[in-house]
């Protein structure tokens, strides 16, 4: 996974969760077990995460958890491809 600012990761995840124009709705609330999974699989493993603020890490984890809920492993793979294009 390439290095990226948290906002770039969040933007990529949001596009995968909600295709089309950005929404003004707040981010969805993920299930706790998926939040733990997203934190372990994506946030803790992302090379840029140590430079992110605690709020950024939380936001990335929440969006990735929602992505996992909606699209499963395919969603995580799509995120890796989206970030790899940068």
């Amino acid at each position: 996974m390439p290095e990226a600012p948290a906002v770039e990761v969040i933007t990529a995840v949001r596009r995968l969760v909600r295709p089309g124009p950005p929404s003004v709705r707040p981010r969805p609330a993920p299930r706790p077990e998926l939040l733990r999974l997203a934190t372990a699989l994506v946030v803790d493993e992302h090379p840029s995460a140590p430079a992110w603020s605690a709020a950024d890490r939380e936001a990335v984890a929440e969006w990735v958890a929602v992505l996992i809920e909606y699209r499963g492993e395919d969603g995580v793979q799509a995120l890796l491809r989206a970030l790899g294009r940068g």
Side-chain angles (χ1 to χ4, degrees):
M1 186 177 314
E3 292 187 16
V7 69
E8 185 177 321
V9 177
I10 293 167
T11 299
V13 174
R14 286 185 69 170
R15 277 194 301 259
L16 293 168
V17 170
R18 297 180 179 151
S23 171
V24 295
R25 294 178 291 177
R27 65 182 178 247
R31 296 190 336 224
E33 64 273 14
L34 293 179
L35 184 57
R36 288 189 295 274
L37 182 64
T39 299
L41 291 179
V42 177
V43 176
D44 290 347
E45 297 298 321
H46 197 285
S48 298
W52 297 344
S53 70
D56 285 342
R57 289 175 58 87
E58 181 180 338
V60 171
E62 288 175 351
W63 275 107
V64 171
V66 171
L67 178 64
I68 292 170
E69 183 171 0
Y70 289 171
R71 297 188 56 190
E73 175 65 21
D74 290 342
V76 175
Q77 293 302 317
L79 175 61
L80 292 174
R81 286 190 301 275
L83 293 174
R85 280 197 293 244

Coordinates of all heavy atoms in Angstrom, one line a residue:
M1 N 0.9 -1.2 0.0 CA 0.0 0.0 0.0 C 0.9 1.2 0.0 O 1.8 1.3 0.8 CB -0.9 0.0 1.2 CG -1.9 1.0 1.3 SD -3.0 1.0 2.7 CE -3.5 -0.7 2.8
P2 N 0.7 2.1 -0.9 CA 1.5 3.3 -1.0 C 1.2 4.3 0.2 O 0.1 4.3 0.7 CB 1.2 4.0 -2.3 CG -0.2 3.5 -2.6 CD -0.3 2.1 -2.0
E3 N 2.2 5.1 0.5 CA 1.9 6.1 1.5 C 0.9 7.1 1.0 O 0.9 7.4 -0.2 CB 3.2 6.8 1.9 CG 4.2 5.9 2.6 CD 5.5 6.7 3.1 OE1 5.4 7.9 3.1 OE2 6.4 6.0 3.4
A4 N 0.1 7.6 1.9 CA -0.9 8.6 1.5 C -1.4 9.3 2.8 O -1.5 8.7 3.8 CB -2.1 7.9 0.8
P5 N -1.8 10.6 2.6 CA -2.5 11.3 3.7 C -3.8 10.6 4.0 O -4.4 10.1 3.1 CB -2.6 12.7 3.2 CG -2.0 12.8 1.9 CD -1.7 11.4 1.4
A6 N -4.2 10.7 5.3 CA -5.5 10.1 5.7 C -6.7 10.6 4.8 O -7.5 9.9 4.4 CB -5.8 10.4 7.1
V7 N -6.7 11.9 4.5 CA -7.8 12.5 3.7 C -7.9 11.8 2.3 O -8.9 11.6 1.8 CB -7.7 14.0 3.6 CG1 -6.5 14.4 2.7 CG2 -9.0 14.6 3.0
E8 N -6.7 11.4 1.7 CA -6.7 10.7 0.5 C -7.3 9.3 0.6 O -8.1 8.9 -0.2 CB -5.3 10.6 -0.1 CG -5.2 10.0 -1.5 CD -3.8 10.0 -2.0 OE1 -3.0 11.0 -1.7 OE2 -3.4 9.0 -2.6
V9 N -7.0 8.6 1.7 CA -7.5 7.3 1.9 C -9.0 7.4 2.2 O -9.8 6.6 1.6 CB -6.8 6.6 3.1 CG1 -7.5 5.3 3.4 CG2 -5.3 6.5 2.9
I10 N -9.5 8.4 3.0 CA -10.9 8.5 3.3 C -11.6 8.9 2.0 O -12.7 8.3 1.7 CB -11.1 9.6 4.3 CG1 -10.5 9.2 5.7 CG2 -12.6 10.0 4.4 CD1 -10.4 10.3 6.7
T11 N -11.1 9.7 1.2 CA -11.7 10.1 -0.1 C -11.9 8.8 -1.0 O -13.0 8.6 -1.6 CB -10.9 11.2 -0.8 OG1 -10.9 12.3 0.0 CG2 -11.6 11.5 -2.2
A12 N -10.9 8.0 -1.1 CA -10.9 6.8 -1.9 C -12.0 5.8 -1.3 O -12.8 5.3 -2.1 CB -9.6 6.1 -1.9
V13 N -12.1 5.7 0.0 CA -13.0 4.8 0.6 C -14.5 5.3 0.3 O -15.4 4.6 0.0 CB -12.8 4.6 2.1 CG1 -13.9 3.8 2.7 CG2 -11.5 3.9 2.4
R14 N -14.6 6.6 0.5 CA -16.0 7.2 0.3 C -16.5 7.0 -1.1 O -17.6 6.7 -1.3 CB -15.9 8.7 0.6 CG -15.9 9.0 2.1 CD -16.0 10.4 2.4 NE -17.3 10.8 2.1 CZ -17.8 12.0 2.4 NH1 -17.1 12.9 3.0 NH2 -19.1 12.3 2.1
R15 N -15.6 7.1 -2.1 CA -16.0 6.9 -3.5 C -16.4 5.4 -3.6 O -17.3 5.1 -4.4 CB -14.8 7.2 -4.4 CG -14.7 8.6 -4.8 CD -13.8 8.8 -6.0 NE -12.4 8.3 -5.7 CZ -11.4 9.1 -5.3 NH1 -11.5 10.4 -5.2 NH2 -10.2 8.5 -5.1
L16 N -15.8 4.5 -3.0 CA -16.1 3.1 -3.1 C -17.4 2.8 -2.4 O -18.2 1.9 -2.8 CB -15.0 2.2 -2.5 CG -13.7 2.2 -3.4 CD1 -12.6 1.6 -2.6 CD2 -13.9 1.6 -4.7
V17 N -17.7 3.4 -1.3 CA -18.9 3.2 -0.5 C -20.1 3.9 -1.1 O -21.2 3.4 -1.2 CB -18.7 3.7 1.0 CG1 -20.0 3.7 1.7 CG2 -17.7 2.8 1.7
R18 N -19.9 5.2 -1.5 CA -20.9 6.0 -2.1 C -20.5 6.6 -3.4 O -20.0 7.8 -3.5 CB -21.3 7.1 -1.1 CG -21.8 6.7 0.2 CD -22.1 7.9 1.0 NE -22.6 7.5 2.3 CZ -22.5 8.2 3.4 NH1 -21.8 9.3 3.4 NH2 -23.0 7.8 4.5
P19 N -20.6 5.8 -4.5 CA -20.2 6.4 -5.8 C -21.0 7.6 -6.1 O -22.1 7.8 -5.7 CB -20.5 5.3 -6.8 CG -20.6 4.0 -5.9 CD -21.1 4.5 -4.6
G20 N -20.4 8.5 -6.9 CA -21.0 9.7 -7.3 C -20.5 10.9 -6.5 O -19.5 10.9 -5.9
P21 N -21.2 12.0 -6.6 CA -20.8 13.3 -5.9 C -20.7 13.1 -4.4 O -21.4 12.3 -3.8 CB -21.9 14.3 -6.2 CG -22.6 13.7 -7.4 CD -22.5 12.2 -7.3
P22 N -19.8 13.8 -3.8 CA -19.7 13.6 -2.3 C -21.0 14.0 -1.6 O -21.7 14.8 -2.0 CB -18.6 14.6 -1.9 CG -17.8 14.9 -3.2 CD -18.8 14.7 -4.3
S23 N -21.2 13.3 -0.5 CA -22.5 13.5 0.2 C -22.2 14.4 1.4 O -21.1 14.5 1.9 CB -23.0 12.2 0.7 OG -24.0 12.3 1.6
V24 N -23.2 15.2 1.8 CA -23.0 16.0 3.0 C -23.4 15.3 4.2 O -23.3 15.7 5.3 CB -23.9 17.3 2.9 CG1 -23.4 18.2 1.7 CG2 -25.4 17.0 2.7
R25 N -23.9 14.0 4.1 CA -24.3 13.2 5.2 C -23.0 12.8 6.0 O -22.0 12.7 5.4 CB -25.0 11.9 4.8 CG -26.3 12.1 4.1 CD -26.9 10.9 3.7 NE -26.1 10.4 2.5 CZ -26.3 9.2 1.9 NH1 -27.3 8.4 2.3 NH2 -25.6 8.9 0.9
P26 N -23.1 12.7 7.3 CA -22.0 12.3 8.1 C -21.6 10.9 7.8 O -22.4 10.1 7.3 CB -22.5 12.4 9.6 CG -24.0 12.4 9.5 CD -24.3 12.9 8.1
R27 N -20.4 10.5 8.2 CA -20.0 9.1 7.9 C -20.9 8.1 8.7 O -21.3 8.5 9.8 CB -18.5 8.9 8.2 CG -18.1 9.1 9.6 CD -16.6 8.9 9.7 NE -16.2 9.1 11.1 CZ -15.4 10.1 11.5 NH1 -15.0 11.0 10.7 NH2 -15.1 10.2 12.8
P28 N -21.1 7.0 8.1 CA -22.0 6.0 8.8 C -21.3 5.4 10.0 O -20.1 5.4 10.1 CB -22.2 4.9 7.7 CG -21.5 5.3 6.5 CD -20.7 6.6 6.8
A29 N -22.1 4.9 10.9 CA -21.5 4.3 12.1 C -21.3 2.8 11.9 O -22.2 2.0 11.6 CB -22.5 4.4 13.3
P30 N -20.1 2.3 11.9 CA -19.8 0.9 11.6 C -20.1 0.0 12.8 O -20.1 0.5 14.0 CB -18.3 1.0 11.4 CG -17.8 2.1 12.2 CD -18.9 3.1 12.2
R31 N -20.2 -1.2 12.5 CA -20.4 -2.2 13.6 C -19.0 -2.4 14.3 O -18.0 -2.3 13.7 CB -20.8 -3.6 13.0 CG -22.2 -3.5 12.4 CD -22.7 -4.8 12.0 NE -21.8 -5.9 11.7 CZ -21.8 -6.7 10.7 NH1 -22.8 -6.6 9.8 NH2 -21.0 -7.7 10.6
P32 N -19.0 -2.5 15.6 CA -17.8 -2.6 16.4 C -16.8 -3.6 16.0 O -15.6 -3.4 15.9 CB -18.3 -2.8 17.9 CG -19.7 -2.3 17.9 CD -20.2 -2.6 16.5
E33 N -17.3 -4.8 15.6 CA -16.4 -5.9 15.2 C -15.7 -5.6 13.9 O -14.6 -5.9 13.6 CB -17.1 -7.3 15.1 CG -18.2 -7.4 14.1 CD -19.6 -6.9 14.6 OE1 -19.7 -6.2 15.7 OE2 -20.6 -7.2 13.9
L34 N -16.4 -4.9 13.0 CA -15.8 -4.5 11.7 C -14.9 -3.3 11.9 O -13.9 -3.2 11.2 CB -16.9 -4.1 10.7 CG -17.8 -5.3 10.3 CD1 -18.8 -4.8 9.3 CD2 -16.9 -6.4 9.6
L35 N -15.1 -2.5 12.9 CA -14.2 -1.4 13.2 C -12.9 -1.9 13.7 O -11.8 -1.5 13.3 CB -14.8 -0.5 14.3 CG -14.0 0.8 14.7 CD1 -13.8 1.6 13.4 CD2 -14.8 1.6 15.7
R36 N -12.9 -3.0 14.5 CA -11.7 -3.6 15.0 C -11.0 -4.2 13.8 O -9.7 -4.1 13.7 CB -12.0 -4.6 16.1 CG -12.4 -4.0 17.4 CD -12.5 -5.0 18.5 NE -13.5 -6.0 18.3 CZ -14.8 -5.9 18.6 NH1 -15.2 -4.8 19.2 NH2 -15.6 -6.8 18.4
L37 N -11.7 -4.9 12.9 CA -11.1 -5.5 11.8 C -10.4 -4.5 10.8 O -9.3 -4.7 10.4 CB -12.2 -6.3 11.0 CG -11.7 -7.1 9.8 CD1 -10.7 -8.2 10.2 CD2 -12.9 -7.7 9.1
A38 N -11.1 -3.4 10.6 CA -10.6 -2.3 9.7 C -9.4 -1.7 10.3 O -8.4 -1.4 9.6 CB -11.7 -1.3 9.5
T39 N -9.4 -1.5 11.6 CA -8.2 -1.0 12.3 C -7.0 -1.9 12.1 O -5.9 -1.5 11.8 CB -8.5 -0.7 13.8 OG1 -9.6 0.2 13.9 CG2 -7.3 -0.1 14.5
A40 N -7.2 -3.2 12.4 CA -6.1 -4.1 12.3 C -5.6 -4.4 10.9 O -4.4 -4.4 10.6 CB -6.6 -5.5 12.9
L41 N -6.5 -4.5 9.9 CA -6.1 -4.8 8.6 C -5.6 -3.6 7.7 O -4.8 -3.8 6.9 CB -7.3 -5.5 7.8 CG -7.7 -6.9 8.3 CD1 -8.9 -7.3 7.5 CD2 -6.5 -7.8 8.1
V42 N -6.2 -2.5 8.0 CA -5.9 -1.3 7.1 C -5.1 -0.2 7.9 O -4.0 0.1 7.5 CB -7.1 -0.8 6.4 CG1 -6.8 0.5 5.6 CG2 -7.8 -1.8 5.6
V43 N -5.7 0.3 8.9 CA -5.1 1.4 9.6 C -3.7 1.0 10.2 O -2.7 1.7 10.0 CB -6.0 2.0 10.7 CG1 -5.3 3.1 11.4 CG2 -7.3 2.5 10.0
D44 N -3.7 -0.1 11.0 CA -2.4 -0.4 11.6 C -1.4 -0.9 10.6 O -0.2 -0.8 11.0 CB -2.7 -1.6 12.6 CG -3.5 -1.1 13.8 OD1 -3.6 0.1 14.0 OD2 -3.9 -2.0 14.6
E45 N -1.8 -1.3 9.4 CA -0.8 -1.7 8.4 C -0.4 -0.6 7.4 O 0.5 -0.8 6.6 CB -1.4 -2.9 7.7 CG -1.6 -4.1 8.6 CD -0.3 -4.7 9.2 OE1 0.7 -4.7 8.5 OE2 -0.4 -5.0 10.4
H46 N -1.1 0.5 7.4 CA -0.9 1.5 6.4 C 0.5 2.2 6.8 O 0.7 2.6 7.9 CB -2.0 2.5 6.4 CG -2.0 3.4 5.2 ND1 -1.1 4.4 5.0 CD2 -2.7 3.3 4.0 CE1 -1.3 4.9 3.8 NE2 -2.3 4.3 3.2
P47 N 1.4 2.4 5.8 CA 2.7 3.0 6.1 C 2.6 4.4 6.5 O 3.5 4.9 7.2 CB 3.4 2.8 4.8 CG 2.4 2.7 3.7 CD 1.2 2.0 4.4
S48 N 1.5 5.1 6.2 CA 1.4 6.5 6.6 C 0.7 6.7 7.9 O 0.7 7.8 8.5 CB 0.7 7.3 5.5 OG 1.4 7.3 4.3
A49 N 0.1 5.7 8.5 CA -0.7 5.8 9.7 C 0.0 6.4 10.9 O -0.6 7.2 11.6 CB -1.3 4.5 10.0
P50 N 1.3 6.2 11.1 CA 1.9 6.8 12.2 C 1.9 8.3 12.2 O 2.0 9.0 13.2 CB 3.4 6.2 12.2 CG 3.2 4.9 11.5 CD 2.1 5.1 10.5
A51 N 1.9 8.9 11.0 CA 1.9 10.3 10.9 C 0.5 10.9 11.0 O 0.3 12.1 11.1 CB 2.5 10.7 9.5
W52 N -0.6 10.1 10.9 CA -1.9 10.6 11.0 C -2.3 10.9 12.4 O -1.8 10.3 13.4 CB -2.9 9.5 10.5 CG -2.8 9.1 9.1 CD1 -2.1 9.8 8.1 CD2 -3.3 7.9 8.5 NE1 -2.2 9.1 6.9 CE2 -3.0 7.9 7.1 CE3 -4.1 6.9 9.0 CZ2 -3.4 6.9 6.3 CZ3 -4.5 5.9 8.1 CH2 -4.1 5.9 6.8
S53 N -3.2 11.9 12.6 CA -3.7 12.2 13.9 C -4.6 11.1 14.4 O -5.1 10.2 13.6 CB -4.5 13.5 13.9 OG -5.7 13.3 13.2
A54 N -4.9 11.1 15.7 CA -5.8 10.1 16.2 C -7.2 10.2 15.6 O -7.8 9.2 15.3 CB -5.9 10.2 17.7
A55 N -7.6 11.4 15.3 CA -8.9 11.6 14.6 C -8.9 11.1 13.2 O -9.9 10.5 12.8 CB -9.3 13.1 14.6
D56 N -7.8 11.3 12.5 CA -7.6 10.7 11.2 C -7.7 9.2 11.2 O -8.3 8.6 10.3 CB -6.4 11.2 10.5 CG -6.4 12.7 10.1 OD1 -7.5 13.2 9.9 OD2 -5.3 13.2 9.8
R57 N -6.9 8.6 12.1 CA -6.9 7.2 12.2 C -8.3 6.6 12.5 O -8.7 5.6 11.9 CB -6.0 6.7 13.3 CG -4.5 6.9 12.9 CD -3.6 6.6 14.1 NE -3.7 5.2 14.6 CZ -3.1 4.2 14.1 NH1 -2.2 4.3 13.1 NH2 -3.3 3.0 14.6
E58 N -9.1 7.3 13.3 CA -10.4 6.9 13.7 C -11.3 7.0 12.5 O -12.1 6.1 12.2 CB -10.9 7.7 14.8 CG -12.3 7.3 15.2 CD -12.8 8.2 16.4 OE1 -12.0 8.8 17.1 OE2 -14.1 8.3 16.5
A59 N -11.2 8.1 11.7 CA -12.1 8.3 10.6 C -11.8 7.3 9.5 O -12.7 6.7 8.9 CB -11.9 9.7 10.0
V60 N -10.5 7.0 9.2 CA -10.1 6.0 8.2 C -10.7 4.6 8.7 O -11.3 3.9 7.9 CB -8.6 5.9 8.0 CG1 -8.3 4.7 7.2 CG2 -8.1 7.2 7.4
A61 N -10.5 4.3 9.9 CA -11.0 3.0 10.4 C -12.5 2.9 10.2 O -13.1 1.8 9.8 CB -10.6 2.8 11.9
E62 N -13.2 3.9 10.6 CA -14.7 3.9 10.5 C -15.2 3.7 9.0 O -16.0 2.9 8.7 CB -15.3 5.2 11.1 CG -15.2 5.2 12.6 CD -15.7 6.5 13.2 OE1 -15.9 7.5 12.5 OE2 -15.8 6.5 14.4
W63 N -14.5 4.5 8.1 CA -14.9 4.4 6.7 C -14.6 3.0 6.1 O -15.3 2.4 5.4 CB -14.3 5.5 5.9 CG -15.1 6.7 5.9 CD1 -14.9 7.9 6.6 CD2 -16.4 6.9 5.3 NE1 -15.9 8.8 6.4 CE2 -16.8 8.2 5.6 CE3 -17.2 6.1 4.5 CZ2 -18.0 8.8 5.1 CZ3 -18.4 6.6 4.0 CH2 -18.8 7.9 4.4
V64 N -13.4 2.5 6.5 CA -13.0 1.2 6.0 C -13.9 0.1 6.6 O -14.3 -0.9 5.9 CB -11.5 0.9 6.3 CG1 -11.2 -0.6 6.0 CG2 -10.6 1.8 5.5
A65 N -14.4 0.2 7.8 CA -15.3 -0.7 8.4 C -16.6 -0.7 7.6 O -17.2 -1.8 7.4 CB -15.5 -0.4 9.9
V66 N -17.1 0.4 7.2 CA -18.3 0.5 6.5 C -18.1 -0.1 5.1 O -18.9 -0.9 4.6 CB -18.8 2.0 6.3 CG1 -19.9 2.1 5.3 CG2 -19.2 2.5 7.7
L67 N -16.9 0.1 4.5 CA -16.6 -0.5 3.2 C -16.6 -2.0 3.3 O -17.2 -2.7 2.5 CB -15.2 0.0 2.7 CG -14.7 -0.6 1.4 CD1 -15.6 -0.2 0.3 CD2 -13.3 -0.1 1.2
I68 N -16.0 -2.5 4.4 CA -16.0 -4.0 4.6 C -17.5 -4.5 4.7 O -17.8 -5.5 4.2 CB -15.2 -4.4 5.8 CG1 -13.7 -4.1 5.5 CG2 -15.4 -5.8 6.2 CD1 -12.8 -4.2 6.8
E69 N -18.3 -3.8 5.5 CA -19.7 -4.2 5.6 C -20.4 -4.2 4.3 O -21.2 -5.2 4.0 CB -20.4 -3.3 6.6 CG -21.8 -3.7 6.9 CD -22.5 -2.9 8.0 OE1 -21.9 -2.0 8.6 OE2 -23.6 -3.2 8.3
Y70 N -20.2 -3.2 3.5 CA -20.9 -3.1 2.2 C -20.3 -4.1 1.1 O -21.1 -4.6 0.4 CB -20.9 -1.7 1.6 CG -21.7 -0.7 2.4 CD1 -21.6 0.6 2.1 CD2 -22.6 -1.1 3.4 CE1 -22.4 1.6 2.8 CE2 -23.3 -0.2 4.1 CZ -23.2 1.2 3.8 OH -24.0 2.1 4.4
R71 N -19.0 -4.2 1.1 CA -18.4 -4.9 0.0 C -17.4 -6.0 0.3 O -16.9 -6.7 -0.5 CB -17.6 -3.9 -0.9 CG -18.6 -2.8 -1.5 CD -18.0 -1.9 -2.5 NE -17.4 -2.7 -3.6 CZ -16.6 -2.1 -4.5 NH1 -16.4 -0.8 -4.4 NH2 -16.0 -2.8 -5.5
G72 N -17.2 -6.2 1.6 CA -16.4 -7.4 2.1 C -15.0 -7.2 1.6 O -14.5 -6.1 1.4
E73 N -14.3 -8.3 1.5 CA -12.9 -8.4 1.1 C -12.7 -7.7 -0.3 O -11.7 -7.1 -0.6 CB -12.4 -9.8 1.0 CG -11.0 -10.0 0.5 CD -9.9 -9.3 1.3 OE1 -10.1 -9.1 2.5 OE2 -8.8 -9.1 0.8
D74 N -13.7 -7.8 -1.2 CA -13.6 -7.1 -2.5 C -13.5 -5.6 -2.3 O -12.8 -5.0 -3.1 CB -14.9 -7.4 -3.3 CG -14.9 -8.9 -3.8 OD1 -13.9 -9.6 -3.8 OD2 -16.0 -9.3 -4.2
G75 N -14.1 -5.1 -1.3 CA -14.0 -3.6 -1.0 C -12.6 -3.3 -0.6 O -12.1 -2.2 -1.1
V76 N -12.0 -4.1 0.2 CA -10.6 -3.8 0.6 C -9.7 -3.9 -0.5 O -8.8 -3.0 -0.7 CB -10.2 -4.7 1.8 CG1 -8.7 -4.5 2.1 CG2 -11.1 -4.5 3.0
Q77 N -9.9 -4.9 -1.4 CA -9.0 -5.0 -2.6 C -9.2 -3.8 -3.5 O -8.3 -3.4 -4.1 CB -9.3 -6.4 -3.3 CG -8.9 -7.6 -2.5 CD -7.4 -7.6 -2.2 OE1 -6.6 -7.2 -3.0 NE2 -7.1 -7.9 -0.9
A78 N -10.5 -3.4 -3.7 CA -10.8 -2.2 -4.5 C -10.1 -1.0 -3.9 O -9.5 -0.2 -4.7 CB -12.3 -2.0 -4.6
L79 N -10.0 -0.9 -2.6 CA -9.3 0.3 -2.0 C -7.9 0.2 -2.3 O -7.2 1.2 -2.6 CB -9.6 0.3 -0.5 CG -8.8 1.3 0.3 CD1 -9.2 2.7 -0.1 CD2 -9.1 1.2 1.8
L80 N -7.3 -1.0 -2.2 CA -5.8 -1.1 -2.5 C -5.5 -0.7 -3.9 O -4.6 0.0 -4.2 CB -5.4 -2.5 -2.2 CG -5.4 -2.9 -0.7 CD1 -5.1 -4.4 -0.6 CD2 -4.4 -2.1 0.1
R81 N -6.4 -1.1 -4.8 CA -6.2 -0.8 -6.2 C -6.4 0.7 -6.4 O -5.6 1.4 -7.1 CB -7.2 -1.5 -7.1 CG -6.9 -3.0 -7.3 CD -7.7 -3.6 -8.4 NE -9.1 -3.6 -8.1 CZ -9.8 -4.4 -7.3 NH1 -9.2 -5.4 -6.8 NH2 -11.1 -4.3 -7.2
A82 N -7.3 1.3 -5.8 CA -7.6 2.8 -5.9 C -6.4 3.6 -5.4 O -6.0 4.6 -6.0 CB -8.9 3.2 -5.2
L83 N -5.8 3.1 -4.3 CA -4.7 3.9 -3.7 C -3.4 3.6 -4.5 O -2.6 4.5 -4.5 CB -4.5 3.5 -2.2 CG -5.6 3.9 -1.3 CD1 -5.4 3.3 0.1 CD2 -5.7 5.4 -1.2
G84 N -3.3 2.5 -5.1 CA -2.2 2.1 -5.9 C -2.0 2.9 -7.1 O -1.0 3.0 -7.7
R85 N -3.1 3.5 -7.6 CA -3.1 4.2 -8.9 C -2.5 5.6 -8.7 O -2.1 6.2 -9.7 CB -4.5 4.4 -9.4 CG -5.1 3.2 -10.1 CD -6.3 3.6 -10.9 NE -7.4 4.0 -10.1 CZ -8.5 3.4 -10.0 NH1 -8.7 2.3 -10.7 NH2 -9.5 3.8 -9.2
G86 N -2.4 6.1 -7.4 CA -1.9 7.4 -7.2 C -0.5 7.5 -7.7 O 0.0 8.4 -8.4

